[in-house]
Amino acid sequence: MKKSLIALAAVAASGAAFAQSSVTVFGVVDEAVSYVSGQDNWSGLNSGANQTSRLGFRGVEDLGGGLKANFWLEAGILADEGSGGSGYEGAKATDGLAFKRRSTLGLEGGFGEVRMGRDLTEAYKATSRYDVFGQVGYGVSRLWADAKVGSVATTNQRVSNMITYVSPNFSGFKAAVNYGFGEQDSNRTSRYFGGGLTYDNGPLSIGLSGERQNNKGYVAATTAPVAPAVYGRDVTAWALGASYNFGVVKLAGAYRDSEAKAENGNKDKMKGYYIGLSAPVGAAGEVKASYNRSEATLFGASKLKADQFALGYVHNLSKRTAVYGTYAYIKNKNNNGTNLGLALQSGVALKDNGSQHGLQVGVRHAF
C-alpha cells in the first residue's frame, strides 16, 4: 500500500500562498521459480520475471501558478539474493542498493516537463511499451532487451547525466527528447541524444523513436595502472511500434533497426520484428503471447537469425498481488557454426541446435 506524507508550509509572511508537498514510498517484490532446458538443465529463483523488483521514493511540490517541482529516486533489487545489482548495464549480484533505475529532479507545468539525471531514454519508452511481457522474464522482446551486434549493445535503456524534455499532450500526441552529456575529455565522446513521438487515442497507440550514442563502450585511458583508451562504436537506432485494443484482444507489433559503426568505418547491423497479443480472462486474468525475430549482419560475415515464441498468463489475486506463469522457446539458427547466441537464461549454454526452452512460475507484490 502506498504511503504518502503530506506537509503544508507557509511560503511568505504575508500568507498570500502556500505550497503542498508529498512524498511516496513505492516498490515491487517479484520472484519466480525458473527452469531452463539447454545443453544442460538449469533451475533456480529469478527476481523480476513479471515486473522488476524495486524500491523507490518520489515526490512533488506545488509551487503555485501551475508550476511543480518533482524528484524520483528508484533502485533495482535482486529479491532472490537481497542485493541491489539490478536495473543498469554491468550490474553485478554483489552490488549494493543504488538508484540506478532512475534518479531525476525536474520542473513541470503548462510547458511540459524538464528533468535532469539518470532515467530511461524517451526513445526506449516510446516503443518498448508494446512488449506484452513488459521487458522482463523469459518472454521479453529481444528488440530492446538483447539488441546487440557482436559485443556492442545497441539499446540505451537508461542514460546518466541526461537532460530530458517532455511536451504537453496535444490531442493525443506527445514528443520527448533526451541529451546525455558524455562527460569525457571530448564533448562528443559517449554523448547521447534521442527522442520519441507517441500518439495515444482510445484503443489506438503508436510510437516512433530514434537515438544515437557516440563511442558507446568507450573507456578512458588511465595512468595508474597505465592502460590505453578503449574505443567503442557509434550506435544509431530507430524503431516503430503500435497497438490496438479490440476489447476481447489487444494486438501489438514493433520493428527496430540499429547499427554500430567502428572507428575504421566497419558497420555491424541488427534489426528485429515483434508481434504480441494479450486478452483478458474473466475479471482477474490475462493471457499473452508473442513472437520475435532477430537478424544481425556482422561486418564481413553472413546474416545470423534467431526466433523466439512466448506464452504467459497472469492472475491478479488483488490490486497489488498476482501469480503468473511464462513459457518461452528460443532458436538461434546456425550459420557456418556460429549463431547470435541469444539465450533465455544468462550462463546457461544453448543446445547444439541453438535452442532453449524455459518456464517461470512466480508471485508479484506491489506496494
Side-chain angles (χ1 to χ4, degrees), residues 35 70 73 90 115 183 242 245 268:
Y35 171 81
N70 62 64
L73 299 172
R115 56 178 178 263
E183 296 194 352
N245 193 339
D268 292 335

Side-chain angles (χ1 to χ4, degrees), residues 280-286 313-318 322-323:
V281 178
E286 180 187 41
Y313 177 73
V314 179
H315 187 82
N316 294 295
L317 301 176
S318 70
V323 293

Side-chain angles (χ1 to χ4, degrees), residues 2-255:
K2 295 181 179 178
K3 305 176 180 67
S4 294
L5 307 175
I6 306 298
L8 299 178
V11 173
S14 63
F18 64 86
Q20 177 174 304
S21 301
S22 68
V23 176
T24 300
V25 180
F26 66 94
V28 174
V29 180
D30 182 317
E31 298 197 56
V33 177
S34 304
Y35 171 81
V36 173
S37 174
Q39 187 169 339
D40 296 309
N41 295 334
W42 178 92
S43 61
L45 285 180
N46 285 128
S47 176
N50 181 253
Q51 288 186 9
T52 303
S53 297
R54 70 197 75 170
L55 175 65
F57 308 87
R58 60 176 179 259
V60 62
E61 181 184 17
D62 190 340
L63 302 174
L67 184 65
K68 296 180 180 179
N70 62 64
F71 79 90
W72 192 304
L73 299 172
E74 184 175 328
I77 298 172
L78 290 178
D80 56 328
E81 299 180 355
S83 74
S86 172
Y88 54 99
E89 190 175 346
K92 302 184 294 298
T94 56
D95 291 349
L97 193 69
F99 296 111
K100 291 283 192 174
R101 284 183 57 83
R102 179 170 173 178
S103 56
T104 61
L105 177 66
L107 293 173
E108 56 185 302
F111 58 86
E113 181 182 4
V114 176
R115 56 178 178 263
M116 301 175 290
R118 178 179 174 84
D119 198 357
L120 289 168
T121 69
E122 296 303 321
Y124 178 80
K125 291 179 184 178
T127 50
S128 68
R129 61 187 180 143
Y130 298 109
D131 180 4
V132 295
F133 285 92
Q135 282 290 279
V136 292
Y138 288 167
V140 63
S141 172
R142 304 293 164 176
L143 268 67
W144 303 275
D146 291 327
K148 63 174 62 179
V149 284
S151 60
V152 180
T154 59
T155 295
N156 292 287
Q157 292 188 2
R158 292 177 173 84
V159 171
S160 299
N161 308 306
M162 188 167 63
I163 296 177
T164 299
Y165 170 72
V166 182
S167 77
N169 188 315
F170 297 103
S171 301
F173 288 96
K174 290 186 76 172
V177 293
N178 303 119
Y179 177 83
F181 294 91
E183 296 194 352
Q184 302 293 336
D185 293 339
S186 168
N187 285 334
R188 182 185 181 282
T189 300
S190 299
R191 180 179 58 190
Y192 171 87
F193 53 93
L197 177 65
T198 58
Y199 175 74
D200 296 285
N201 188 358
L204 177 63
S205 176
I206 303 172
L208 175 66
S209 65
E211 58 186 330
R212 176 183 174 90
Q213 181 159 12
N214 295 331
N215 215 349
K216 184 174 177 63
Y218 171 82
V219 180
T222 60
T223 56
V226 176
V230 177
Y231 291 92
R233 301 190 186 187
D234 292 340
V235 174
T236 57
W238 71 272
L240 176 66
S243 68
Y244 193 91
N245 193 339
F246 293 91
V248 294
V249 65
K250 182 178 181 179
L251 295 179
Y255 170 83

